[in-house]
Amino acid sequence: MTVEIREIPLVGPESGPYGITAGPDGALWLTLAQAGGIARLSPDGAVRTYPLEPAGGRPLIITTGADGALWFTRSGDDRIGRITVDGEQRTIALPAGTGPCGIAAGPDGALWYAGMNSDTIGRVETDGTHSAFPLPVTGGFPSMITAGADRALWFTLNQANAIGRIDLDGRVTLYPLPTVNAGPVGITLGDDGAIWFVEIAAGQLGRIDPDGEIVEFPLPDRSARPHAIVADPDGGAWFTEWGANRIGHLDPNCRIEGYALPTPDAEPHGITRTSTGIWAALEIGAIA
């Protein structure tokens, strides 16, 4: 497979691009964690940034909701943000100390988020109605979340060393990881119907099937600190290697390759896919 990487400058490196997603308008949308804003890269290459309203929210993860707007977590002020493709914003306040991180659109049309500081998984309807479900752990640090193929949401528990599943009624099942202190973070639904995730502390990828069976795949560089992951439409997955300045790929035969970014210390974080390729948010203020 031939892989070509190019970097597109977006904003200053002090802005801290973190999460990235494909929007319903054909643009790429990113969170600017350090600057406190949202950026939009249109198909023609035009960049527009939107400061958070109110300011200071430290946005992390962004996704498209069932209402055609972009929804994102504001980890700095315990809110969920919403921005339309025209730039109009509103927020939904969460309980103090929630610390929302990952967010995903659920099969019920609601947005589901991981409360990393509160040991909760929360649910927000597009009209602003909010509910939260406590997890059976203390200090588990739920981080990222994704919709599964089974009408449930799957999430990583970074400090509890487990993958969790929550159904639409709030029932939770936890699956401990085979590797101790693996530190799971990014998670995604694979095109094979299984859930794929990364273990940032162990330098591994993981796969869990709907029955809870887990298989781990050690990276060639165990210090690469994999962070975010997205399914490959041809099978396998693409992921960011935050600690090694690479984009990684696991093919359908479970072979793993890493592709170095042109700029040193670019710090790749979020990753998404579109019809034009795989896109990653780089801390240096660019995407690749």
Side-chain angles (χ1 to χ4, degrees), residues 56-209:
R58 187 172 168 77
L60 292 182
I61 306 302
I62 186 167
T63 194
T64 299
D67 59 351
L70 286 301
W71 293 75
F72 55 95
T73 51
R74 297 175 51 126
S75 64
D77 60 3
D78 298 318
R79 297 171 184 260
I80 300 297
R82 177 185 184 272
I83 185 169
T84 68
V85 295
D86 296 322
E88 296 181 7
Q89 294 185 51
R90 67 180 174 92
T91 66
I92 297 168
L94 306 177
T98 295
C101 185
I103 188 169
D108 56 352
L111 285 303
W112 291 71
Y113 68 84
M116 60 183 170
N117 296 334
S118 58
D119 289 320
T120 59
I121 297 297
R123 179 183 182 275
V124 173
E125 296 184 29
T126 54
D127 66 1
T129 303
H130 169 257
S131 55
F133 303 96
L135 299 177
V137 294
T138 300
F141 209 72
S143 300
M144 303 297 183
I145 188 167
T146 190
D150 55 352
R151 292 189 58 79
L153 286 298
W154 293 74
F155 55 94
T156 51
L157 284 163
N158 179 264
Q159 294 299 299
N161 208 54
I163 301 300
R165 178 188 183 274
I166 184 168
D167 67 20
L168 299 183
D169 294 321
R171 291 184 290 265
V172 176
T173 306
L174 300 186
Y175 300 94
L177 296 180
T179 300
V180 177
N181 299 325
V185 184
I187 190 167
T188 194
L189 173 63
D191 283 26
D192 59 356
I195 299 295
W196 289 82
F197 57 93
V198 298
E199 299 176 356
I200 193 170
Q204 298 185 140
L205 305 184
R207 178 186 183 276
I208 181 168
D209 66 24

